[in-house]
Amino acid sequence: MADSLSLDGLIETTSQPQEPADQQNGTTTSPTLASPLSPTTKPTQLPDGEWTPETVLSTLPERPVTNSTSPVPFFHALTLLKTTPREGWRRFGIHAGESIADHMYRMSIITLLCPPALAATLDIPRCTRMALVHDMAEALVGDITPIDGVSKPEKSRREGETMDYLCRGLLGKVGGGMAGEGVRSVWQEYEDGVTRESVFVHDVDKVELLLQMVEYEKAKDGRLDLGEFAWVAKRIVMPEVREWAEEILEERKAFWESKGEVPEGVKSLDGEGDEAVLSEERKAQQDEYYGKDKVVVESNGVKETS
């Protein structure tokens, strides 16, 4: 077994299609096994209000059984989180990168490493559960990004209907439905973003993005600048999590300096004028997706200020 794992083979360029790895360097690659629950087609972009979970369910070769007293159909449905890629990277030619499940798994581990002083003010087991389910709706909805042209209210509607299907259609008769409602509740808490736990997990979501950004840049040995994603660091709220983000940005800065390059994006949380260069249209998309208001963390909860 190799001493280290390289991510470089996971990255393809959109402008120049890549040959299979076994043709490039003599190694053998294993084919990706399609799940019987994988959609046969990608649903086309639909106007607001027209998408429903049935839009995707109708494309599945094998649908999960609803109203079962067993959780096994739900377990099968979760495979869609393992096989659906995170879409933001694909615009940069990363087509075989992390899945939605990959992203949520590392987030859940990060919550377990919450700094002690902050952890004392949070329900960490709830944070971990929240990290594990916060993107669960993307099993059917997909990973909608700020540039996809789907409004935030429409995204929320699609995800809410999907969670109703997963937690009530598939889990509604499992153990009296209590487990399903528990999952639905912690997912909604994340969406509402009011509790300190939800703010922490939103911050962790951004840290995980920053980590993956740097890892892909290193995997490409500086031939890929993903600085467009670095701006999320300045939306991190909790000081303890901002320290992690600052460390990641310093790591990124050192990497690019070793290449004799200055990357795009945020270089430091304290820096001025170092944001990624974004078009007004892209900035507006991101502001609508993530919100423009700052968030103030208070001892008794979280308050938004304009």
Side-chain angles (χ1 to χ4, degrees):
M1 181 178 292
D3 291 335
S4 62
L5 175 65
S6 171
L7 297 176
D8 196 47
L10 298 179
I11 302 177
E12 306 171 59
T13 60
T14 52
S15 58
Q16 297 180 353
Q18 300 293 300
E19 294 178 344
D22 56 354
Q23 295 179 22
Q24 290 178 353
N25 53 26
T27 60
T28 301
T29 57
S30 299
T32 300
L33 298 179
S35 163
L37 292 181
S38 298
T40 55
T41 59
K42 290 281 187 181
T44 57
Q45 185 69 43
L46 295 174
D48 284 6
E50 291 190 14
W51 188 97
T52 69
E54 186 62 27
T55 303
V56 176
L57 292 170
S58 64
T59 73
L60 299 181
E62 182 178 334
R63 298 171 61 127
V65 177
T66 56
N67 298 316
S68 172
T69 57
S70 167
V72 169
F74 173 77
F75 296 161
H76 281 305
L78 295 179
T79 195
L80 293 169
L81 296 170
K82 298 173 64 177
T83 57
T84 303
R86 295 257 287 166
E87 288 294 330
W89 310 117
R90 290 162 66 88
R91 289 189 295 109
F92 292 86
I94 305 171
H95 298 295
E98 63 167 344
S99 69
I100 296 166
D102 294 333
H103 167 65
M104 293 195 294
Y105 175 75
R106 179 154 59 178
M107 278 184 61
S108 68
I109 298 298
I110 292 172
T111 66
L112 298 178
L113 277 296
C114 181
L118 178 58
T121 70
L122 300 172
D123 181 344
I124 293 300
R126 187 167 185 83
C127 292
T128 303
R129 292 196 298 274
M130 196 178 295
L132 283 170
V133 307
H134 80 285
D135 279 341
M136 184 177 287
E138 293 180 9
L140 296 184
V141 174
D143 182 21
I144 297 173
T145 70
I147 69 165
D148 288 333
V150 178
S151 68
K152 188 67 178 288
E154 172 65 9
K155 177 178 180 290
S156 296
R157 183 193 68 80
R158 295 182 185 190
E159 292 181 345
E161 289 188 12
T162 297
M163 290 303 290
D164 288 343
Y165 163 76
L166 293 171
C167 298
R168 294 163 185 166
L170 298 184
L171 292 176
K173 293 188 176 180
V174 176
M178 293 183 63
E181 288 303 317
V183 170
R184 183 68 171 76
S185 174
V186 78
W187 175 85
Q188 190 63 58
E189 181 180 343
Y190 177 85
E191 287 295 297
D192 294 340
V194 173
T195 65
R196 286 178 58 83
E197 285 75 12
S198 65
V199 173
F200 173 59
V201 178
H202 274 285
D203 280 355
V204 169
D205 183 55
K206 296 175 179 67
V207 163
E208 206 286 326
L209 174 68
L210 294 173
L211 288 166
Q212 192 65 70
M213 173 192 70
V214 173
E215 289 157 5
Y216 283 145
E217 289 181 334
K218 288 183 175 181
K220 264 303 184 182
D221 197 30
R223 299 188 301 275
L224 182 65
D225 187 337
L226 296 170
E228 178 179 312
F229 298 95
W231 68 274
V232 302
K234 289 195 172 182
R235 293 180 181 268
I236 293 174
V237 174
M238 293 185 161
E240 296 86 349
V241 186
R242 288 174 65 87
E243 288 184 15
W244 287 341
E246 188 69 69
E247 183 176 346
I248 296 166
L249 292 176
E250 286 296 322
E251 176 188 349
R252 179 177 187 249
K253 180 181 177 183
F255 166 72
W256 281 99
E257 286 179 348
S258 74
K259 301 299 177 183
E261 301 284 348
V262 178
E264 291 186 355
V266 173
K267 314 300 188 302
S268 167
L269 292 179
D270 297 325
E272 295 291 339
D274 58 1
E275 304 276 352
V277 178
L278 299 175
S279 68
E280 287 300 315
E281 179 184 12
R282 183 63 52 79
K283 185 176 185 301
Q285 290 168 337
Q286 292 178 343
D287 283 343
E288 194 220 359
Y289 189 82
Y290 289 101
K292 296 176 65 176
D293 294 342
K294 293 182 180 179
V295 178
V296 178
V297 181
E298 299 182 332
S299 60
N300 61 340
V302 177
K303 179 177 67 178
E304 290 189 358
T305 60
S306 57

